[in-house]
Amino acid sequence: MTYDMQNAEKLNDFRRDAMRLGIDVVSPSVNTSFRRFEVAENKIFYALAAIKGVGEASVDHIVEVRADKPFESLEDFATRIDPKLVNRRTFEGLIFAGAFDCFGLDRASLVAGLDRIVGLAQRTSEEKASGQTDIFGALLTAEPERLQLPQNVEWTGSEKLMKEFQSIGFYFSAHPLDAFQPVLDKMRVQQYADFSIGIKRGATAGRLAGTVASKQMRRTKTGNKMGIITLSDATGQYEIVLFSEALDEFGDRLEVGKSFIITVSVRVRDDETVSLQMNTLTSLNDDAGIKEAHLLRVFVRDEKPARSIARQLQARGRSPVSLIVIKPDGAGEVEIELPGTYAVSAPIASAIKAIEGVVDVELV
């Protein structure tokens, strides 16, 4: 993984292999991650240098400053690092990747309060440089200034996951398609990894699901419009080619972050490379009969994520929600049905799955 640190697709493949083998890949953290991928206690700790926008010099500085004393809080981090080495762009990359989740702070609030965070780091650095630590008595050992972050900002589940995708290169904490899996299984929708094996065995068409990761517009040699759409599912990324007719029919609907079921045909070029062409498109976010949830089940081990779960379930709707508390040492489960019904959708389920402390979600 360290060798292929800049290849997000391979990192995602390695991570899925590790999960299949029962090896936990711990999400990026300023308190537990290093420059490289590290192994301890049968876990792989995600490398900080693999986060986009976070340079190696910044990572080396963070690890050096942390040493044997983990950062106790966001304020502790801001007052110990050098803002010339950990700048605003670095902070954004770390936030998007979840590297500050260890402090129990909401990522949207961190981004909204970024000016205050960077300001504290710069003030502290200037005071150290001017010698005020000597005048006012050991600033480094004093209680850090408390940061007041904006609390009235929220990201939707899809926004949070898209920013994570931008920073890591794949969906780490959850995938937008996770909550749709029961529906996809019933509709016999294939995962791309399985379909790609089928292509090698002669498959010429298939039904896939995907979340749009990027969209590029180009011209063919004859001057006609064409689109190249990169989609993602839990097994990796793949590209769909849309020529002018399909582009006119589907192009406007294929927005980045939206999820779809698509039927594709396989085209093998003269050089034996394979391309996929879209035939039909069904939205998983908007189309009636797909987004409606009958029951949301949220699996947790304790009450810690309860407040964050409640924030995602503020809207009233028609769907019941149950919390499944997993007892320690595999001693069974306790199901708690929440009073009332809620507005539940796959994006909300994905947002809940991404909450720290949530083990899994089921949308059935």
Side-chain angles (χ1 to χ4, degrees):
M1 293 179 80
T2 296
Y3 181 80
D4 287 303
M5 192 179 294
Q6 305 307 316
N7 188 327
E9 189 168 351
K10 283 191 175 182
L11 290 181
N12 193 24
D13 289 341
F14 294 145
R15 175 174 172 264
R16 288 190 293 106
D17 285 342
M19 293 170 64
R20 180 176 53 81
L21 296 169
I23 301 170
D24 187 20
V25 181
V26 181
S27 59
S29 169
V30 293
N31 267 338
T32 59
S33 297
F34 292 83
R35 176 176 177 176
R36 297 169 175 263
F37 289 86
E38 299 286 344
V39 177
E41 301 175 356
N42 201 38
K43 298 177 181 179
I44 299 171
F45 290 83
Y46 204 86
L48 289 178
I51 300 172
K52 300 180 187 299
V54 179
E56 293 183 355
S58 302
V59 171
D60 289 341
H61 174 65
I62 291 170
V63 173
E64 180 183 4
V65 169
R66 184 183 70 204
D68 296 324
K69 184 184 177 184
F71 301 108
E72 297 179 359
S73 63
L74 175 65
E75 293 86 355
D76 185 35
F77 180 90
T79 55
R80 285 167 65 183
I81 55 92
D82 183 345
K84 293 180 181 177
L85 293 172
V86 183
N87 57 27
R88 185 185 183 90
R89 185 180 179 216
T90 304
F91 267 107
E92 284 185 341
L94 292 169
I95 293 169
F96 291 168
F100 291 117
D101 288 1
C102 55
F103 301 136
L105 300 169
D106 183 76
R107 297 182 196 179
S109 295
L110 287 168
V111 171
L114 196 50
D115 286 340
R116 302 176 191 180
I117 300 170
V118 174
L120 174 59
Q122 291 174 340
R123 287 194 303 275
T124 306
S125 178
E126 290 167 1
E127 288 169 357
K128 291 176 185 177
S130 66
Q132 289 188 40
T133 53
D134 297 329
I135 297 172
F136 296 108
L139 177 65
L140 293 178
T141 61
E143 183 70 20
E145 174 187 332
R146 300 301 298 177
L147 285 165
Q148 297 296 321
L149 300 179
Q151 297 299 314
N152 59 343
V153 292
E154 286 188 8
W155 289 342
T156 64
S158 58
E159 285 175 328
K160 177 180 177 180
L161 291 177
M162 277 305 300
K163 292 181 186 300
E164 185 177 283
F165 181 92
Q166 293 166 11
S167 183
I168 296 179
F170 57 91
Y171 294 103
F172 191 99
S173 60
H175 193 284
L177 293 179
D178 289 346
F180 293 112
Q181 202 56 53
V183 173
L184 300 178
D185 290 342
K186 289 178 182 177
M187 298 180 69
R188 303 180 67 84
V189 175
Q190 288 183 283
Q191 292 189 317
Y192 178 69
D194 295 330
F195 182 60
S196 62
I197 294 172
I199 292 173
K200 295 175 182 177
R201 295 173 178 171
T204 58
R207 179 189 291 170
L208 304 172
T211 301
V212 179
S214 66
K215 180 178 177 180
Q216 301 178 49
M217 308 304 296
R218 296 182 182 174
R219 293 277 180 180
T220 64
K221 292 180 179 178
T222 58
N224 294 324
K225 293 187 301 181
M226 66 176 290
I228 299 177
I229 312 299
T230 302
L231 296 109
S232 165
D233 70 7
T235 66
Q237 295 185 50
Y238 57 97
E239 290 185 347
I240 301 290
V241 177
L242 273 70
F243 292 104
S244 55
E245 186 175 335
L247 193 60
D248 290 339
E249 184 176 358
F250 304 128
D252 291 341
R253 299 176 62 194
L254 290 163
E255 299 177 15
V256 172
K258 297 290 187 181
S259 298
F260 300 90
I261 294 174
I262 59 176
T263 58
V264 298
S265 56
V266 179
R267 178 186 177 191
V268 181
R269 300 190 183 98
D270 294 337
D271 60 1
E272 297 187 354
T273 59
V274 174
S275 67
L276 303 180
Q277 296 180 20
M278 183 180 297
N279 298 323
T280 66
L281 179 74
T282 304
S283 172
L284 281 167
N285 300 102
D286 306 317
D287 288 356
I290 293 180
K291 71 175 183 177
E292 185 66 25
H294 299 290
L295 170 65
L296 176 68
R297 306 175 79 219
V298 183
F299 294 80
V300 298
R301 290 194 172 89
D302 52 43
E303 75 284 354
K304 292 179 182 177
R307 190 181 299 275
S308 296
I309 293 171
R311 281 202 296 265
Q312 296 291 337
L313 295 173
Q314 290 178 355
R316 296 297 172 182
R318 295 183 294 172
S319 300
V321 176
S322 290
L323 288 181
I324 313 298
V325 182
I326 303 171
K327 292 183 177 180
D329 304 321
E333 300 174 346
V334 176
E335 183 167 355
I336 304 169
E337 186 172 341
L338 302 186
T341 54
Y342 302 84
V344 173
S345 64
I348 289 175
S350 294
I352 291 174
K353 186 174 181 180
I355 294 171
E356 186 174 1
V358 172
V359 178
D360 200 2
V361 298
E362 289 182 355
L363 193 58
V364 294

